[in-house]
Amino acid sequence: MAAKIDLSHKVHVLTKKEELDSVRVPGKVVVVLDILFATTTMVTALAHGAKEVVPVLDEAEALARAKEFEKNSYVLSGELFAETLAGFAHPAPLSLLEHGVEGKTLIYSTTNGTVAMMQPARAARFYCGALLNAQALAEHILAQHPRETVLIVCSGSGNNFNFEDFYGAGYFVECFREHVGDLSDAAKAALALYRHAKAPEALLDCRVGRMMVARGLAREVEFACRRDIFPVVPALEQGRLRLVS
């Protein structure tokens, strides 16, 4: 196994979840992004009254966790390789809202985003981010974690770099930029990409965006590109994602 390296940067961007294996996570603040659509969906669900979100690794774990809850108190939602799991609600944000989540626990499984959320268990604090809540989350982190290094983790896709997550990371760096002394090279690159690209056009034209458009989900991509419409801060504690009051 490669030796762990310590990060001296105040804000650092990891281009895919697999890079977590090469950094020291304990004591750092982690923000996970999966713009299309896992973290966008989780932020949206919590902003619309979901009681909590239970992110899981796969369909089997989702079904097992569902046994912990009373009937009609939860919603199962998820996908594998962009195909909605049989018997589960569609995992994209607007579709899930149409299904209904208010007052319920969302048990949520995706190919990349929820997997990324299961990895850095030893972080000082673990947050779920999206373009939808970036400013509120950045302000919360600056106020509550003024000295910790922030790791912005792009989920990526199957050990591959994803444009949309790096774009989202760039907007988070923009939100942090005036308040931190150090940005890693990856953080600076994400910021440059964010400033150069135009949304929603750029996200509709990236690999995952084109795949979603082909599946009739252009409105979901456009929704995911909206910035700062939900002033919510979702934090993961004991395997459950809840809003910080």
Side-chain angles (χ1 to χ4, degrees):
M1 180 181 294
K4 298 288 186 178
I5 59 174
D6 200 6
L7 296 175
S8 60
H9 303 288
K10 180 64 178 181
V11 176
H12 187 68
V13 171
L14 304 184
T15 63
K16 53 188 178 180
K17 59 185 178 298
E18 289 78 11
E19 292 179 13
L20 279 165
D21 291 337
S22 67
V23 302
R24 297 185 187 277
V25 173
K28 296 180 173 64
V29 175
V30 174
V31 178
V32 168
L33 305 179
D34 187 331
I35 302 301
L36 302 178
F37 293 108
T39 58
T40 295
T41 299
M42 290 186 277
V43 167
T44 300
L46 289 167
H48 285 80
K51 180 181 178 182
E52 60 187 359
V53 178
V54 179
V56 297
L57 289 173
D58 53 28
E59 178 182 5
E61 185 179 355
L63 294 172
R65 294 298 301 271
K67 296 177 182 178
E68 302 172 11
F69 299 92
E70 295 182 2
K71 186 178 180 181
N72 299 323
S73 71
Y74 65 88
V75 173
L76 283 169
S77 176
E79 54 80 22
L80 182 64
F81 304 125
E83 295 291 340
T84 303
L85 296 170
F88 284 49
H90 197 287
L94 296 177
S95 298
L96 187 57
L97 289 185
E98 292 170 1
H99 178 86
V101 295
E102 186 174 1
K104 297 186 177 183
T105 293
L106 172 63
I107 303 173
Y108 193 57
S109 173
T110 68
T111 309
N112 296 291
T114 57
V115 173
M117 297 197 70
M118 308 302 291
Q119 295 190 27
R122 299 177 305 282
R125 197 66 159 141
F126 192 95
Y127 296 102
C128 177
L131 292 167
L132 307 177
N133 72 328
Q135 187 66 49
L137 181 49
E139 290 176 357
H140 174 84
I141 291 172
L142 288 166
Q144 299 300 318
H145 310 283
R147 288 174 294 277
E148 288 86 352
T149 294
V150 179
L151 303 181
I152 303 172
V153 181
C154 301
S155 293
S157 178
N159 203 20
N160 292 315
F161 168 91
N162 273 9
F163 179 96
E164 68 276 7
D165 294 341
F166 203 58
Y167 174 91
Y171 183 53
F172 268 86
V173 175
E174 184 78 271
C175 294
F176 281 116
R177 185 180 59 84
E178 293 183 0
H179 306 280
V180 299
D182 294 304
L183 299 176
S184 71
D185 283 352
K188 291 176 181 177
L191 178 61
L193 173 66
Y194 165 74
R195 289 178 172 176
H196 175 75
K198 293 184 179 181
E201 293 84 2
L203 272 67
L204 288 165
D205 190 48
C206 70
R207 180 183 64 85
V208 175
R210 292 196 304 271
M211 179 175 66
M212 296 304 171
V213 170
R215 293 169 180 266
L217 299 175
R219 69 173 188 137
E220 300 277 13
V221 176
E222 292 167 351
F223 175 77
C225 292
R226 299 179 67 184
R227 299 193 302 268
D228 304 320
I229 62 172
F230 300 137
V232 298
V233 177
L236 189 69
E237 289 186 351
Q238 299 181 332
R240 298 188 181 200
L241 193 66
R242 293 172 175 164
L243 294 184
V244 175
S245 59

